C-alpha cells in the first residue's frame, strides 16, 4: 500500500484505479470508525465476558490449590485460634466457632475468594487487598478497603468491585440481591458465610458506610458486617451502591464447603440473620 | 489502500479472502486483549471506590 501523489498521466478507465490521498484518508477514517465501534462493544460486553471467565478460572484454580494444600499439610485447628484478645464472645447463634481472622493483606495480595450463588452457581472471584484500579479492581476482581476489618472479624469488612466495564464486573448484579442471599468468602482457613440484608445508595464520598457499624460512628461494633460497594447507576460514577450483609456462620476447612456452595442447594429459606443487639 | 492490499495478496480470490479474514481476526483479538484494556484505563474513570 502506498500513496502515489504524482498526478501526471490520467489513468485509463480500464486500468487499475490510482491510489489517491483522499481515498486513503477516507479508508483510514472508516477503519478508525470501525475500531471505535469495536471498542464500545468491548467496553459494554466483551470485556466482561473475557475478564469474567478469567476471574472465574483463576478463583477456582486457587480454591483447588488451597484444598490440596489443606489435605497434604497438617492444618492447625482453626477453632482454637484466638481472634482479637480484647473482644468478648459474640453470640451468633449458628456459629459455635469463633471464626479465625486473617491478617490484613498487602496491596494487590490475593487473600480470599468470594462466592455469591445468586449471581450464578459458578460465580467465584478472587479478593485482594487495596482498592486501586490498576493493582486490584481491574486486574484481580474484588478489593478490600484498607483499614476495614477482615472476614470474620467483629466490625465491618468492606469491599469494592466494578459493576460495569472492567475487570469482569464482579458486582454487575449487585442490585439483584435478595434478603438472606448467602455471600461466602473462602480463605485458607475456611468459609465465612454472610447473609445479605439491604442496599443503600450513597454519594461517592459517604465514607461512613465503611465504619465498623456502617453509617453509625458512635456505636462500638458488636457484630460482624460485610459491605460491598460499587458504582451506580450502571456505567456511571455519579453515586455508589452499597450492599450490607451480616455474619451468619464460619465453617473450618476441615469441614468442607458450606451447603450453600454445594451443587443443588436445598433451597435455603432461612430466616434473616439475627438483628444486631448492640444498636 | 485496501484495493492495493487486495492486489498485493497472492493467490486466487478465496485465498486472498482467507488471508484477510485471518488477519482481521488477529487484529481484533489483539485490540480486545491488549490495546483496549490499556485505552480503557485512560478513557473512562469508572470509579467504584467510596472516599
Amino acid at each position: 500500500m502506498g500513496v502515489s501523489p504524482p498526478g501526471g498521466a490520467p489513468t485509463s478507465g480500464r486500468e487499475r484505479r490510482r491510489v489517491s490521498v483522499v481515498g486513503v484518508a477516507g479508508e483510514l477514517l472508516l477503519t478508525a470508525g470501525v475500531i471505535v465501534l469495536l471498542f464500545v462493544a468491548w467496553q459494554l460486553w466483551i470485556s466482561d465476558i473475557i475478564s469474567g471467565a478469567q476471574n472465574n478460572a483463576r478463583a477456582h484454580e486457587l480454591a483447588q490449590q488451597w484444598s490440596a494444600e489443606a489435605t497434604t499439610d497438617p492444618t492447625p485447628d482453626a477453632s482454637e485460634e484466638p481472634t482479637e484478645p480484647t473482644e468478648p464472645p459474640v453470640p451468633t447463634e449458628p456459629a459455635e466457632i469463633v471464626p479465625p481472622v486473617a491478617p490484613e493483606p498487602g496491596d494487590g495480595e490475593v487473600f480470599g475468594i468470594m462466592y455469591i450463588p445468586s449471581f450464578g452457581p459458578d460465580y467465584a472471584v478472587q479478593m485482594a487487598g487495596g482498592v486501586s484500579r490498576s493493582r486490584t479492581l481491574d486486574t484481580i476482581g474484588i478489593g478490600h478497603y484498607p483499614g476495614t476489618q477482615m472476614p470474620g472479624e467483629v466490625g465491618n469488612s468492606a469491599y469494592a468491585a466494578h459493576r460495569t466495564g472492567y475487570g469482569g464486573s464482579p458486582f454487575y448484579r449487585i442490585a439483584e440481591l435478595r434478603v438472606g442471599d448467602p455471600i461466602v468468602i473462602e480463605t485458607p482457613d475456611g468459609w465465612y458465610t454472610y447473609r445479605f440484608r439491604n442496599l443503600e445508595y450513597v454519594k461517592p464520598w459517604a465514607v461512613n458506610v465503611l465504619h465498623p457499624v456502617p453509617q453509625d460512628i458512635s456505636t462500638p461494633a458488636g457484630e460482624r458486617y460485610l459491605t460491598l460497594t460499587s458504582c451506580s447507576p450502571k456505567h456511571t460514577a455519579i453515586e455508589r451502591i452499597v450492599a450490607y450483609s451480616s455474619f451468619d456462620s464460619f465453617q473450618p476447612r476441615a469441614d468442607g464447603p458450606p451447603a450453600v456452595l454445594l451443587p443443588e442447594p436445598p433451597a435455603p429459606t432461612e430466616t434473616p440473620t439475627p438483628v444486631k443487639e448492640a444498636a | 489502500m485496501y484495493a492495493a492490499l487486495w492486489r498485493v495478496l497472492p493467490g486466487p480470490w478465496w485465498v486472498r479472502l482467507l488471508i484477510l479474514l485471518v488477519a482481521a481476526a488477529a487484529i481484533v483479538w489483539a485490540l480486545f486483549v491488549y490495546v483496549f484494556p490499556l485505552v480503557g484505563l485512560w478513557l473512562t474513570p469508572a470509579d467504584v471506590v467510596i472516599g
Side-chain angles (χ1 to χ4, degrees), chain A residues 27 31 39 42 46 131 133 138 145 162 166 204 206-207 209 231 240, chain B residues 1-2 7 28 32 36-37 40-41 43-51:
Chain A
E27 285 178 336
T31 310
F39 179 78
W42 174 84
I46 296 161
V131 289
R133 286 192 57 194
D138 286 5
Y145 281 96
H162 285 298
Y166 296 99
V207 291
V209 305
C231 57
R240 300 290 181 270
Chain B
M1 183 174 72
Y2 291 121
R7 285 195 300 271
V28 168
F32 280 171
F36 289 165
L41 275 179
L43 262 189
T44 41
D47 231 339
V48 296
V49 176
I50 284 180

PDB file of all heavy atoms in Angstrom, chain A residues 27 31 39 42 46 131 133 138 145 162 166 204 206-207 209 231 240, chain B residues 1-2 7 28 32 36-37 40-41 43-51:
ATOM      1  N   GLU A  27     -10.390   5.813   3.732  1.00  0.00           N
ATOM      2  CA  GLU A  27     -10.320   4.441   4.241  1.00  0.00           C
ATOM      3  C   GLU A  27      -9.792   4.407   5.672  1.00  0.00           C
ATOM      4  O   GLU A  27     -10.269   3.615   6.497  1.00  0.00           O
ATOM      5  CB  GLU A  27      -9.432   3.601   3.317  1.00  0.00           C
ATOM      6  CG  GLU A  27     -10.130   3.250   2.020  1.00  0.00           C
ATOM      7  CD  GLU A  27      -9.230   2.464   1.081  1.00  0.00           C
ATOM      8  OE1 GLU A  27      -8.003   2.589   1.230  1.00  0.00           O
ATOM      9  OE2 GLU A  27      -9.753   1.752   0.231  1.00  0.00           O
ATOM     10  N   THR A  31     -11.752   2.954   8.889  1.00  0.00           N
ATOM     11  CA  THR A  31     -11.123   1.981   9.785  1.00  0.00           C
ATOM     12  C   THR A  31     -11.181   2.465  11.227  1.00  0.00           C
ATOM     13  O   THR A  31     -11.496   1.697  12.152  1.00  0.00           O
ATOM     14  CB  THR A  31      -9.666   1.756   9.366  1.00  0.00           C
ATOM     15  OG1 THR A  31      -9.644   1.478   7.963  1.00  0.00           O
ATOM     16  CG2 THR A  31      -9.072   0.602  10.125  1.00  0.00           C
ATOM     17  N   PHE A  39     -14.429  -0.860  20.115  1.00  0.00           N
ATOM     18  CA  PHE A  39     -14.104  -0.503  21.497  1.00  0.00           C
ATOM     19  C   PHE A  39     -15.373  -0.408  22.339  1.00  0.00           C
ATOM     20  O   PHE A  39     -15.421  -0.878  23.478  1.00  0.00           O
ATOM     21  CB  PHE A  39     -13.338   0.819  21.541  1.00  0.00           C
ATOM     22  CG  PHE A  39     -13.004   1.248  22.941  1.00  0.00           C
ATOM     23  CD1 PHE A  39     -11.954   0.668  23.624  1.00  0.00           C
ATOM     24  CD2 PHE A  39     -13.762   2.206  23.583  1.00  0.00           C
ATOM     25  CE1 PHE A  39     -11.653   1.037  24.920  1.00  0.00           C
ATOM     26  CE2 PHE A  39     -13.469   2.595  24.884  1.00  0.00           C
ATOM     27  CZ  PHE A  39     -12.409   1.996  25.548  1.00  0.00           C
ATOM     28  N   TRP A  42     -16.539  -3.781  23.064  1.00  0.00           N
ATOM     29  CA  TRP A  42     -15.654  -4.394  24.055  1.00  0.00           C
ATOM     30  C   TRP A  42     -15.976  -3.884  25.453  1.00  0.00           C
ATOM     31  O   TRP A  42     -16.082  -4.637  26.417  1.00  0.00           O
ATOM     32  CB  TRP A  42     -14.202  -4.070  23.700  1.00  0.00           C
ATOM     33  CG  TRP A  42     -13.223  -4.528  24.728  1.00  0.00           C
ATOM     34  CD1 TRP A  42     -12.676  -5.766  24.841  1.00  0.00           C
ATOM     35  CD2 TRP A  42     -12.670  -3.750  25.787  1.00  0.00           C
ATOM     36  NE1 TRP A  42     -11.828  -5.810  25.910  1.00  0.00           N
ATOM     37  CE2 TRP A  42     -11.803  -4.596  26.503  1.00  0.00           C
ATOM     38  CE3 TRP A  42     -12.826  -2.433  26.204  1.00  0.00           C
ATOM     39  CZ2 TRP A  42     -11.095  -4.137  27.614  1.00  0.00           C
ATOM     40  CZ3 TRP A  42     -12.131  -1.989  27.319  1.00  0.00           C
ATOM     41  CH2 TRP A  42     -11.279  -2.840  28.000  1.00  0.00           C
ATOM     42  N   ILE A  46     -17.825  -7.347  25.780  1.00  0.00           N
ATOM     43  CA  ILE A  46     -16.800  -8.363  25.554  1.00  0.00           C
ATOM     44  C   ILE A  46     -15.785  -8.380  26.690  1.00  0.00           C
ATOM     45  O   ILE A  46     -15.330  -9.436  27.115  1.00  0.00           O
ATOM     46  CB  ILE A  46     -16.136  -8.127  24.188  1.00  0.00           C
ATOM     47  CG1 ILE A  46     -17.189  -8.330  23.108  1.00  0.00           C
ATOM     48  CG2 ILE A  46     -14.980  -9.060  23.965  1.00  0.00           C
ATOM     49  CD1 ILE A  46     -16.857  -7.719  21.797  1.00  0.00           C
ATOM     50  N   VAL A 131      -7.901  -1.020  46.981  1.00  0.00           N
ATOM     51  CA  VAL A 131      -8.985  -0.758  46.047  1.00  0.00           C
ATOM     52  C   VAL A 131      -8.498   0.083  44.867  1.00  0.00           C
ATOM     53  O   VAL A 131      -9.275   0.813  44.260  1.00  0.00           O
ATOM     54  CB  VAL A 131     -10.176  -0.067  46.746  1.00  0.00           C
ATOM     55  CG1 VAL A 131     -10.883  -1.037  47.674  1.00  0.00           C
ATOM     56  CG2 VAL A 131      -9.720   1.152  47.520  1.00  0.00           C
ATOM     57  N   ARG A 133      -7.445   0.692  41.048  1.00  0.00           N
ATOM     58  CA  ARG A 133      -7.910   0.043  39.829  1.00  0.00           C
ATOM     59  C   ARG A 133      -6.801  -0.783  39.194  1.00  0.00           C
ATOM     60  O   ARG A 133      -7.033  -1.911  38.772  1.00  0.00           O
ATOM     61  CB  ARG A 133      -8.388   1.101  38.833  1.00  0.00           C
ATOM     62  CG  ARG A 133      -9.723   1.703  39.214  1.00  0.00           C
ATOM     63  CD  ARG A 133     -10.285   2.517  38.075  1.00  0.00           C
ATOM     64  NE  ARG A 133     -10.416   1.690  36.875  1.00  0.00           N
ATOM     65  CZ  ARG A 133     -10.624   2.177  35.675  1.00  0.00           C
ATOM     66  NH1 ARG A 133     -10.714   3.468  35.487  1.00  0.00           N
ATOM     67  NH2 ARG A 133     -10.750   1.373  34.643  1.00  0.00           N
ATOM     68  N   ASP A 138      -9.108  -3.751  38.461  1.00  0.00           N
ATOM     69  CA  ASP A 138      -9.103  -4.096  37.044  1.00  0.00           C
ATOM     70  C   ASP A 138      -8.452  -5.442  36.792  1.00  0.00           C
ATOM     71  O   ASP A 138      -8.755  -6.114  35.807  1.00  0.00           O
ATOM     72  CB  ASP A 138      -8.342  -3.028  36.240  1.00  0.00           C
ATOM     73  CG  ASP A 138      -9.141  -1.753  36.109  1.00  0.00           C
ATOM     74  OD1 ASP A 138     -10.222  -1.682  36.706  1.00  0.00           O
ATOM     75  OD2 ASP A 138      -8.682  -0.838  35.416  1.00  0.00           O
ATOM     76  N   TYR A 145     -11.114  -2.751  51.306  1.00  0.00           N
ATOM     77  CA  TYR A 145     -10.768  -1.400  51.758  1.00  0.00           C
ATOM     78  C   TYR A 145      -9.741  -1.480  52.881  1.00  0.00           C
ATOM     79  O   TYR A 145     -10.018  -2.077  53.927  1.00  0.00           O
ATOM     80  CB  TYR A 145     -12.006  -0.669  52.271  1.00  0.00           C
ATOM     81  CG  TYR A 145     -12.902  -0.108  51.200  1.00  0.00           C
ATOM     82  CD1 TYR A 145     -14.010  -0.807  50.754  1.00  0.00           C
ATOM     83  CD2 TYR A 145     -12.645   1.132  50.627  1.00  0.00           C
ATOM     84  CE1 TYR A 145     -14.840  -0.298  49.780  1.00  0.00           C
ATOM     85  CE2 TYR A 145     -13.466   1.657  49.655  1.00  0.00           C
ATOM     86  CZ  TYR A 145     -14.561   0.944  49.232  1.00  0.00           C
ATOM     87  OH  TYR A 145     -15.374   1.450  48.262  1.00  0.00           O
ATOM     88  N   HIS A 162     -15.874  -3.551  40.426  1.00  0.00           N
ATOM     89  CA  HIS A 162     -16.558  -2.901  39.308  1.00  0.00           C
ATOM     90  C   HIS A 162     -17.941  -3.497  39.114  1.00  0.00           C
ATOM     91  O   HIS A 162     -18.174  -4.681  39.330  1.00  0.00           O
ATOM     92  CB  HIS A 162     -15.756  -3.085  38.023  1.00  0.00           C
ATOM     93  CG  HIS A 162     -14.543  -2.216  37.951  1.00  0.00           C
ATOM     94  ND1 HIS A 162     -14.618  -0.846  37.944  1.00  0.00           N
ATOM     95  CD2 HIS A 162     -13.235  -2.514  37.881  1.00  0.00           C
ATOM     96  CE1 HIS A 162     -13.393  -0.347  37.865  1.00  0.00           C
ATOM     97  NE2 HIS A 162     -12.534  -1.333  37.839  1.00  0.00           N
ATOM     98  N   TYR A 166     -15.225  -3.166  33.538  1.00  0.00           N
ATOM     99  CA  TYR A 166     -13.825  -3.538  33.745  1.00  0.00           C
ATOM    100  C   TYR A 166     -13.708  -4.729  34.676  1.00  0.00           C
ATOM    101  O   TYR A 166     -14.562  -4.967  35.523  1.00  0.00           O
ATOM    102  CB  TYR A 166     -13.035  -2.383  34.352  1.00  0.00           C
ATOM    103  CG  TYR A 166     -12.955  -1.205  33.450  1.00  0.00           C
ATOM    104  CD1 TYR A 166     -13.803  -0.137  33.616  1.00  0.00           C
ATOM    105  CD2 TYR A 166     -12.048  -1.180  32.396  1.00  0.00           C
ATOM    106  CE1 TYR A 166     -13.751   0.941  32.768  1.00  0.00           C
ATOM    107  CE2 TYR A 166     -11.998  -0.112  31.546  1.00  0.00           C
ATOM    108  CZ  TYR A 166     -12.836   0.951  31.739  1.00  0.00           C
ATOM    109  OH  TYR A 166     -12.784   2.005  30.893  1.00  0.00           O
ATOM    110  N   PRO A 204     -20.506   9.483  46.410  1.00  0.00           N
ATOM    111  CA  PRO A 204     -19.184   8.848  46.360  1.00  0.00           C
ATOM    112  C   PRO A 204     -18.303   9.128  47.569  1.00  0.00           C
ATOM    113  O   PRO A 204     -17.341   8.409  47.796  1.00  0.00           O
ATOM    114  CB  PRO A 204     -18.561   9.427  45.090  1.00  0.00           C
ATOM    115  CG  PRO A 204     -19.709   9.847  44.261  1.00  0.00           C
ATOM    116  CD  PRO A 204     -20.779  10.278  45.207  1.00  0.00           C
ATOM    117  N   ALA A 206     -19.344   9.168  50.768  1.00  0.00           N
ATOM    118  CA  ALA A 206     -20.010   8.728  52.000  1.00  0.00           C
ATOM    119  C   ALA A 206     -19.197   7.630  52.678  1.00  0.00           C
ATOM    120  O   ALA A 206     -19.558   6.459  52.686  1.00  0.00           O
ATOM    121  CB  ALA A 206     -21.416   8.224  51.682  1.00  0.00           C
ATOM    122  N   VAL A 207     -18.098   8.042  53.284  1.00  0.00           N
ATOM    123  CA  VAL A 207     -17.189   7.050  53.866  1.00  0.00           C
ATOM    124  C   VAL A 207     -17.775   6.388  55.103  1.00  0.00           C
ATOM    125  O   VAL A 207     -17.219   5.415  55.589  1.00  0.00           O
ATOM    126  CB  VAL A 207     -15.835   7.694  54.219  1.00  0.00           C
ATOM    127  CG1 VAL A 207     -15.087   8.067  52.973  1.00  0.00           C
ATOM    128  CG2 VAL A 207     -16.037   8.903  55.110  1.00  0.00           C
ATOM    129  N   VAL A 209     -20.130   4.500  55.334  1.00  0.00           N
ATOM    130  CA  VAL A 209     -20.543   3.115  55.100  1.00  0.00           C
ATOM    131  C   VAL A 209     -19.420   2.139  55.426  1.00  0.00           C
ATOM    132  O   VAL A 209     -19.653   0.946  55.543  1.00  0.00           O
ATOM    133  CB  VAL A 209     -21.002   2.900  53.638  1.00  0.00           C
ATOM    134  CG1 VAL A 209     -22.093   3.887  53.262  1.00  0.00           C
ATOM    135  CG2 VAL A 209     -19.851   2.984  52.673  1.00  0.00           C
ATOM    136  N   CYS A 231     -20.318   1.045  41.661  1.00  0.00           N
ATOM    137  CA  CYS A 231     -20.786   2.317  41.122  1.00  0.00           C
ATOM    138  C   CYS A 231     -22.260   2.230  40.752  1.00  0.00           C
ATOM    139  O   CYS A 231     -22.797   1.167  40.494  1.00  0.00           O
ATOM    140  CB  CYS A 231     -19.967   2.738  39.908  1.00  0.00           C
ATOM    141  SG  CYS A 231     -19.973   1.533  38.597  1.00  0.00           S
ATOM    142  N   ARG A 240     -22.827   5.700  44.496  1.00  0.00           N
ATOM    143  CA  ARG A 240     -22.337   4.367  44.828  1.00  0.00           C
ATOM    144  C   ARG A 240     -23.509   3.540  45.336  1.00  0.00           C
ATOM    145  O   ARG A 240     -24.351   4.040  46.077  1.00  0.00           O
ATOM    146  CB  ARG A 240     -21.267   4.432  45.922  1.00  0.00           C
ATOM    147  CG  ARG A 240     -20.055   5.249  45.557  1.00  0.00           C
ATOM    148  CD  ARG A 240     -19.204   4.582  44.490  1.00  0.00           C
ATOM    149  NE  ARG A 240     -18.043   5.401  44.204  1.00  0.00           N
ATOM    150  CZ  ARG A 240     -18.015   6.354  43.276  1.00  0.00           C
ATOM    151  NH1 ARG A 240     -19.071   6.580  42.547  1.00  0.00           N
ATOM    152  NH2 ARG A 240     -16.921   7.059  43.085  1.00  0.00           N
TER     153      ARG A 240
ATOM    154  N   MET B   1      -6.099   2.113  -0.658  1.00  0.00           N
ATOM    155  CA  MET B   1      -5.264   1.420   0.315  1.00  0.00           C
ATOM    156  C   MET B   1      -5.656  -0.054   0.385  1.00  0.00           C
ATOM    157  O   MET B   1      -4.834  -0.938   0.201  1.00  0.00           O
ATOM    158  CB  MET B   1      -5.431   2.075   1.684  1.00  0.00           C
ATOM    159  CG  MET B   1      -4.572   1.478   2.745  1.00  0.00           C
ATOM    160  SD  MET B   1      -4.686   2.401   4.285  1.00  0.00           S
ATOM    161  CE  MET B   1      -6.315   1.971   4.847  1.00  0.00           C
ATOM    162  N   TYR B   2      -6.938  -0.297   0.650  1.00  0.00           N
ATOM    163  CA  TYR B   2      -7.372  -1.693   0.728  1.00  0.00           C
ATOM    164  C   TYR B   2      -7.377  -2.351  -0.636  1.00  0.00           C
ATOM    165  O   TYR B   2      -7.104  -3.551  -0.756  1.00  0.00           O
ATOM    166  CB  TYR B   2      -8.753  -1.769   1.378  1.00  0.00           C
ATOM    167  CG  TYR B   2      -8.725  -1.402   2.842  1.00  0.00           C
ATOM    168  CD1 TYR B   2      -9.478  -0.359   3.337  1.00  0.00           C
ATOM    169  CD2 TYR B   2      -7.900  -2.101   3.714  1.00  0.00           C
ATOM    170  CE1 TYR B   2      -9.443  -0.022   4.674  1.00  0.00           C
ATOM    171  CE2 TYR B   2      -7.845  -1.771   5.043  1.00  0.00           C
ATOM    172  CZ  TYR B   2      -8.624  -0.720   5.523  1.00  0.00           C
ATOM    173  OH  TYR B   2      -8.561  -0.391   6.850  1.00  0.00           O
ATOM    174  N   ARG B   7      -4.592  -6.278  -4.216  1.00  0.00           N
ATOM    175  CA  ARG B   7      -3.787  -6.608  -5.406  1.00  0.00           C
ATOM    176  C   ARG B   7      -2.462  -7.243  -5.016  1.00  0.00           C
ATOM    177  O   ARG B   7      -1.952  -8.095  -5.732  1.00  0.00           O
ATOM    178  CB  ARG B   7      -3.518  -5.329  -6.220  1.00  0.00           C
ATOM    179  CG  ARG B   7      -4.719  -4.858  -7.003  1.00  0.00           C
ATOM    180  CD  ARG B   7      -4.295  -3.851  -8.052  1.00  0.00           C
ATOM    181  NE  ARG B   7      -3.649  -2.678  -7.480  1.00  0.00           N
ATOM    182  CZ  ARG B   7      -4.304  -1.590  -7.087  1.00  0.00           C
ATOM    183  NH1 ARG B   7      -5.611  -1.528  -7.206  1.00  0.00           N
ATOM    184  NH2 ARG B   7      -3.649  -0.571  -6.577  1.00  0.00           N
ATOM    185  N   VAL B  28      -8.366  -7.884  15.580  1.00  0.00           N
ATOM    186  CA  VAL B  28      -9.436  -7.680  16.549  1.00  0.00           C
ATOM    187  C   VAL B  28      -9.062  -8.317  17.890  1.00  0.00           C
ATOM    188  O   VAL B  28      -9.272  -7.741  18.960  1.00  0.00           O
ATOM    189  CB  VAL B  28     -10.756  -8.272  16.003  1.00  0.00           C
ATOM    190  CG1 VAL B  28     -11.802  -8.342  17.102  1.00  0.00           C
ATOM    191  CG2 VAL B  28     -11.260  -7.431  14.854  1.00  0.00           C
ATOM    192  N   PHE B  32      -8.768  -6.408  21.491  1.00  0.00           N
ATOM    193  CA  PHE B  32      -9.566  -6.764  22.659  1.00  0.00           C
ATOM    194  C   PHE B  32      -8.685  -7.114  23.855  1.00  0.00           C
ATOM    195  O   PHE B  32      -9.011  -6.791  24.986  1.00  0.00           O
ATOM    196  CB  PHE B  32     -10.458  -7.970  22.332  1.00  0.00           C
ATOM    197  CG  PHE B  32     -11.691  -7.610  21.564  1.00  0.00           C
ATOM    198  CD1 PHE B  32     -12.505  -8.602  21.034  1.00  0.00           C
ATOM    199  CD2 PHE B  32     -12.053  -6.293  21.377  1.00  0.00           C
ATOM    200  CE1 PHE B  32     -13.645  -8.274  20.329  1.00  0.00           C
ATOM    201  CE2 PHE B  32     -13.180  -5.956  20.673  1.00  0.00           C
ATOM    202  CZ  PHE B  32     -13.984  -6.956  20.148  1.00  0.00           C
ATOM    203  N   PHE B  36      -7.321  -2.373  24.010  1.00  0.00           N
ATOM    204  CA  PHE B  36      -8.470  -1.761  24.674  1.00  0.00           C
ATOM    205  C   PHE B  36      -8.337  -1.724  26.191  1.00  0.00           C
ATOM    206  O   PHE B  36      -8.728  -0.729  26.811  1.00  0.00           O
ATOM    207  CB  PHE B  36      -9.757  -2.465  24.251  1.00  0.00           C
ATOM    208  CG  PHE B  36     -10.153  -2.178  22.835  1.00  0.00           C
ATOM    209  CD1 PHE B  36     -11.108  -2.948  22.187  1.00  0.00           C
ATOM    210  CD2 PHE B  36      -9.579  -1.132  22.125  1.00  0.00           C
ATOM    211  CE1 PHE B  36     -11.473  -2.687  20.882  1.00  0.00           C
ATOM    212  CE2 PHE B  36      -9.938  -0.861  20.826  1.00  0.00           C
ATOM    213  CZ  PHE B  36     -10.878  -1.647  20.203  1.00  0.00           C
ATOM    214  N   PRO B  37      -7.822  -2.764  26.840  1.00  0.00           N
ATOM    215  CA  PRO B  37      -7.644  -2.641  28.287  1.00  0.00           C
ATOM    216  C   PRO B  37      -6.751  -1.465  28.682  1.00  0.00           C
ATOM    217  O   PRO B  37      -7.010  -0.792  29.681  1.00  0.00           O
ATOM    218  CB  PRO B  37      -7.000  -3.975  28.681  1.00  0.00           C
ATOM    219  CG  PRO B  37      -7.492  -4.927  27.670  1.00  0.00           C
ATOM    220  CD  PRO B  37      -7.553  -4.149  26.397  1.00  0.00           C
ATOM    221  N   GLY B  40      -8.745   1.721  27.985  1.00  0.00           N
ATOM    222  CA  GLY B  40      -9.825   1.882  28.949  1.00  0.00           C
ATOM    223  C   GLY B  40      -9.376   2.513  30.246  1.00  0.00           C
ATOM    224  O   GLY B  40     -10.133   3.235  30.881  1.00  0.00           O
ATOM    225  N   LEU B  41      -8.146   2.260  30.620  1.00  0.00           N
ATOM    226  CA  LEU B  41      -7.634   2.853  31.849  1.00  0.00           C
ATOM    227  C   LEU B  41      -7.635   4.369  31.768  1.00  0.00           C
ATOM    228  O   LEU B  41      -7.830   5.057  32.760  1.00  0.00           O
ATOM    229  CB  LEU B  41      -6.212   2.365  32.112  1.00  0.00           C
ATOM    230  CG  LEU B  41      -6.068   1.040  32.841  1.00  0.00           C
ATOM    231  CD1 LEU B  41      -4.615   0.698  32.982  1.00  0.00           C
ATOM    232  CD2 LEU B  41      -6.726   1.110  34.198  1.00  0.00           C
ATOM    233  N   LEU B  43      -9.516   6.249  29.451  1.00  0.00           N
ATOM    234  CA  LEU B  43     -10.699   6.896  28.898  1.00  0.00           C
ATOM    235  C   LEU B  43     -11.772   7.190  29.934  1.00  0.00           C
ATOM    236  O   LEU B  43     -12.153   8.325  30.138  1.00  0.00           O
ATOM    237  CB  LEU B  43     -11.296   6.009  27.803  1.00  0.00           C
ATOM    238  CG  LEU B  43     -10.893   6.392  26.388  1.00  0.00           C
ATOM    239  CD1 LEU B  43     -11.708   5.615  25.394  1.00  0.00           C
ATOM    240  CD2 LEU B  43     -11.086   7.879  26.167  1.00  0.00           C
ATOM    241  N   THR B  44     -12.283   6.156  30.587  1.00  0.00           N
ATOM    242  CA  THR B  44     -13.425   6.356  31.459  1.00  0.00           C
ATOM    243  C   THR B  44     -13.053   5.963  32.877  1.00  0.00           C
ATOM    244  O   THR B  44     -12.878   4.798  33.166  1.00  0.00           O
ATOM    245  CB  THR B  44     -14.614   5.507  31.000  1.00  0.00           C
ATOM    246  OG1 THR B  44     -14.115   4.227  30.612  1.00  0.00           O
ATOM    247  CG2 THR B  44     -15.342   6.169  29.874  1.00  0.00           C
ATOM    248  N   PRO B  45     -12.950   6.910  33.758  1.00  0.00           N
ATOM    249  CA  PRO B  45     -12.667   6.583  35.148  1.00  0.00           C
ATOM    250  C   PRO B  45     -13.914   6.089  35.854  1.00  0.00           C
ATOM    251  O   PRO B  45     -14.523   6.806  36.607  1.00  0.00           O
ATOM    252  CB  PRO B  45     -12.159   7.895  35.729  1.00  0.00           C
ATOM    253  CG  PRO B  45     -12.844   8.937  34.902  1.00  0.00           C
ATOM    254  CD  PRO B  45     -13.091   8.345  33.550  1.00  0.00           C
ATOM    255  N   ALA B  46     -14.310   4.841  35.592  1.00  0.00           N
ATOM    256  CA  ALA B  46     -15.498   4.282  36.234  1.00  0.00           C
ATOM    257  C   ALA B  46     -15.147   3.923  37.674  1.00  0.00           C
ATOM    258  O   ALA B  46     -14.796   2.808  37.976  1.00  0.00           O
ATOM    259  CB  ALA B  46     -15.977   3.048  35.476  1.00  0.00           C
ATOM    260  N   ASP B  47     -15.262   4.920  38.522  1.00  0.00           N
ATOM    261  CA  ASP B  47     -14.817   4.757  39.894  1.00  0.00           C
ATOM    262  C   ASP B  47     -15.861   4.018  40.710  1.00  0.00           C
ATOM    263  O   ASP B  47     -17.033   4.333  40.638  1.00  0.00           O
ATOM    264  CB  ASP B  47     -14.579   6.143  40.506  1.00  0.00           C
ATOM    265  CG  ASP B  47     -13.231   6.212  41.145  1.00  0.00           C
ATOM    266  OD1 ASP B  47     -12.695   5.142  41.463  1.00  0.00           O
ATOM    267  OD2 ASP B  47     -12.720   7.316  41.322  1.00  0.00           O
ATOM    268  N   VAL B  48     -15.421   3.069  41.470  1.00  0.00           N
ATOM    269  CA  VAL B  48     -16.363   2.322  42.307  1.00  0.00           C
ATOM    270  C   VAL B  48     -16.042   2.493  43.778  1.00  0.00           C
ATOM    271  O   VAL B  48     -16.722   1.976  44.626  1.00  0.00           O
ATOM    272  CB  VAL B  48     -16.333   0.826  41.967  1.00  0.00           C
ATOM    273  CG1 VAL B  48     -16.794   0.608  40.561  1.00  0.00           C
ATOM    274  CG2 VAL B  48     -14.966   0.247  42.166  1.00  0.00           C
ATOM    275  N   VAL B  49     -14.996   3.241  44.072  1.00  0.00           N
ATOM    276  CA  VAL B  49     -14.499   3.325  45.440  1.00  0.00           C
ATOM    277  C   VAL B  49     -15.176   4.472  46.170  1.00  0.00           C
ATOM    278  O   VAL B  49     -15.449   5.515  45.573  1.00  0.00           O
ATOM    279  CB  VAL B  49     -12.972   3.508  45.430  1.00  0.00           C
ATOM    280  CG1 VAL B  49     -12.460   3.696  46.827  1.00  0.00           C
ATOM    281  CG2 VAL B  49     -12.317   2.322  44.778  1.00  0.00           C
ATOM    282  N   ILE B  50     -15.441   4.250  47.418  1.00  0.00           N
ATOM    283  CA  ILE B  50     -16.000   5.305  48.251  1.00  0.00           C
ATOM    284  C   ILE B  50     -14.874   6.011  48.999  1.00  0.00           C
ATOM    285  O   ILE B  50     -13.995   5.347  49.543  1.00  0.00           O
ATOM    286  CB  ILE B  50     -17.030   4.740  49.231  1.00  0.00           C
ATOM    287  CG1 ILE B  50     -18.322   4.452  48.484  1.00  0.00           C
ATOM    288  CG2 ILE B  50     -17.256   5.656  50.397  1.00  0.00           C
ATOM    289  CD1 ILE B  50     -19.401   3.902  49.342  1.00  0.00           C
ATOM    290  N   GLY B  51     -14.932   7.291  49.008  1.00  0.00           N
ATOM    291  CA  GLY B  51     -13.949   8.035  49.792  1.00  0.00           C
ATOM    292  C   GLY B  51     -12.864   8.655  48.947  1.00  0.00           C
ATOM    293  O   GLY B  51     -12.823   8.539  47.765  1.00  0.00           O
TER     294      GLY B  51
END
